[in-house]
Amino acid sequence: MSTSGAKLSPSPVALAFSQIQWDPLGSLRLTAQETALLRMAESNPIEYTLADSRDASMYARVLLKLLAEAAAAGAGTGH
């Protein structure tokens, strides 16, 4: 029951919100491997990712990297 090949058509509402970045991973400074790991975690139960010690370790590092970027972005906005 894999949906990795299925592409959804854009919502007609998307045109009303052109300023929203619909693919947030595109603006992050992630390697292709880090992006693939996050995509895998989106489409599979988290237990699949965390069951492999290497994937689990990398997943934790990617989440910490995202947290650091979010904190830096928040610090730049004055929030």
Side-chain angles (χ1 to χ4, degrees), residues 6-75:
K7 288 283 187 184
L8 297 176
S9 59
S11 168
V13 178
L15 296 175
F17 300 99
S18 60
Q19 72 279 10
I20 294 177
Q21 183 181 2
W22 294 105
D23 184 15
L25 294 180
S27 67
L28 298 172
R29 291 170 286 198
L30 298 175
T31 66
Q33 187 178 17
E34 291 168 337
T35 300
L37 183 64
L38 289 176
R39 295 280 187 218
M40 183 178 71
E42 283 181 348
S43 60
N44 294 319
I46 194 67
E47 290 84 2
Y48 290 171
T49 302
L50 299 180
D52 180 280
S53 62
R54 279 184 11 165
D55 284 347
S57 177
M58 186 173 171
Y59 189 68
R61 283 194 306 270
V62 171
L63 291 179
L64 290 171
K65 185 176 182 179
L66 292 175
L67 183 59
E69 283 199 33

